[in-house]
Amino acid sequence: MEPGLNGDGLEFEDFDENEKKRKVRFDANFHRYIKTITDSIFFNGFIMFTIGLNSLEMALETNEDLKYRWRDAFFYMDETFLAIYTVEFLMKLYAEPIGYWKSSFDLFDFVVLVLSYIQVILDSSGTSGLEGLRVLRALRTLRTLRTISFVRGLQVLVIALISTIRKSVINIVILLFIMMFLFAIMGYYFFGYREESDLENWGNITVALKSLFTYVTLDGWTDIQDKLDELGMDGGRVFSFAFIMLGHFIFFNIFIAVIIMNISDATENYKNEQRAERETVLRHKKEFMMQRQHNDVKQMMQRQKVGHFTNFQDMVQDFQSSLRHDDYVMMNDLCGNLIWMEMFVTSLDHMDNTMYRLQQLHYESANILGAVLDQRLRKRYGT
């Protein structure tokens, strides 16, 4: 590589100009600090712990005895949790002002936070008797679902379920409803058309659909079938078994199979994303080391201009004396890597040792075969 060029053949000056053109925030250091905190395991673990305590507090608040005895404690605890969630929102919004609104899980957290503030505003205004306020208090339980935002595995499952519902399940449900609608009409004319028929389960289209849904889930369908047998409805068992085969064993299992396939695809995509993230981290590390080497060479060239060195070789030798054994060295040629050369020489030593042992083994095998052959010849010729 010629002096003044980096590994890609670009001039150092051009590279520096590109670096200067990058936009730098006026609060870059503080922004980097906040982003490091929001991405840390400790921060996410603290929020998870807070969500767990909030869930426990909401569960204890359902006990009337505890609710009136510790009313003030519950109030201050809820305010504390809301303050923590607010600080979390502000920190994440500051760290990712655009990316925050692109994440569906972050948007869900924001909606839960807004609902909590609406409840606080209505409660403080003295409208505690409103029906809407009771609904908002019930919606506080959505805070527990915020756990999904911090567990990547749960996010994979949720994304897979949403994708399944959006792409495949709707078509399966529509087809199942069409089939249930047809069987409901047939069931009405078979078992609910006359006065002496089973009007409770097949008297109209609504109760017929309810009975067919029982057939799909197989939860209590024998009671409906027993009622048909008591009334002496011919063909009741054939009708029930036919719909159970179609509704439960086919459509229901198709629904499960589609969910399993989508979860498998989502898990594979998650593994690919993790692999890509690791590759990105390694690429950034390599770029950092290359940039550091570029800066070191640039400093050496500047020192040559203003220093006491007679030539570039003297300067390189002086630079080599300051290197440590743990410094990273990026080598484009694998054969020029010292670690690779050391491993190769060690492998050659192992190969020589293995070859020597194989030669000794072949030598011993030949001696044994020769002795056996000599013994058999002596026995044959009696010598």
Side-chain angles (χ1 to χ4, degrees), residues 157-222:
L157 293 178
V158 171
I159 292 174
L161 290 175
I162 294 176
S163 176
T164 302
I165 294 174
R166 186 176 66 252
K167 295 179 180 179
S168 303
V169 172
I170 294 180
N171 296 328
I172 297 175
V173 170
I174 292 175
L175 187 58
L176 177 62
F177 179 77
I178 292 174
M179 188 187 67
M180 290 177 62
F181 181 76
L182 296 178
F183 271 81
I185 294 177
M186 288 189 294
Y188 168 74
Y189 282 107
F190 287 156
F191 314 120
Y193 184 69
R194 296 184 298 272
E195 292 295 334
E196 65 275 10
S197 301
D198 187 5
L199 301 179
E200 181 181 356
N201 297 315
W202 305 97
N204 53 60
I205 189 68
T206 304
V207 296
L209 287 173
K210 179 182 177 182
S211 300
L212 292 176
F213 184 78
T214 303
Y215 281 1
V216 172
T217 59
L218 294 183
D219 185 16
W221 73 275
T222 53

Side-chain angles (χ1 to χ4, degrees), residues 73-86 117 120 123 143:
F74 285 135
F75 173 77
Y76 289 118
M77 287 176 62
D78 193 67
E79 295 295 320
T80 302
F81 293 139
L82 185 58
I84 294 174
Y85 296 148
T86 304
Y117 270 104
V120 171
D123 202 0
R143 297 178 184 177

Side-chain angles (χ1 to χ4, degrees), residues 146-163:
R146 296 188 66 241
T147 309
I148 301 174
S149 304
F150 300 93
V151 182
R152 191 67 182 275
L154 294 178
Q155 294 181 12
V156 173
L157 293 178
V158 171
I159 292 174
L161 290 175
I162 294 176
S163 176

Side-chain angles (χ1 to χ4, degrees), residues 261-278:
M261 290 174 58
N262 280 274
I263 291 177
S264 178
D265 294 340
T267 304
E268 187 65 25
N269 294 333
Y270 171 59
K271 292 180 179 179
N272 294 333
E273 290 178 1
Q274 284 186 321
R275 190 181 302 111
E277 290 177 359
R278 289 195 295 267

Side-chain angles (χ1 to χ4, degrees), residues 12-36:
F12 288 139
E13 290 75 8
D14 295 340
F15 190 83
D16 292 338
E17 289 297 330
N18 293 332
E19 288 292 328
K20 292 179 181 178
K21 290 179 180 178
R22 294 182 179 179
K23 295 182 179 179
V24 180
R25 296 178 53 144
F26 69 95
D27 56 345
N29 294 331
F30 184 70
H31 176 264
R32 190 182 305 110
Y33 176 73
I34 296 297
K35 184 171 176 56
T36 303

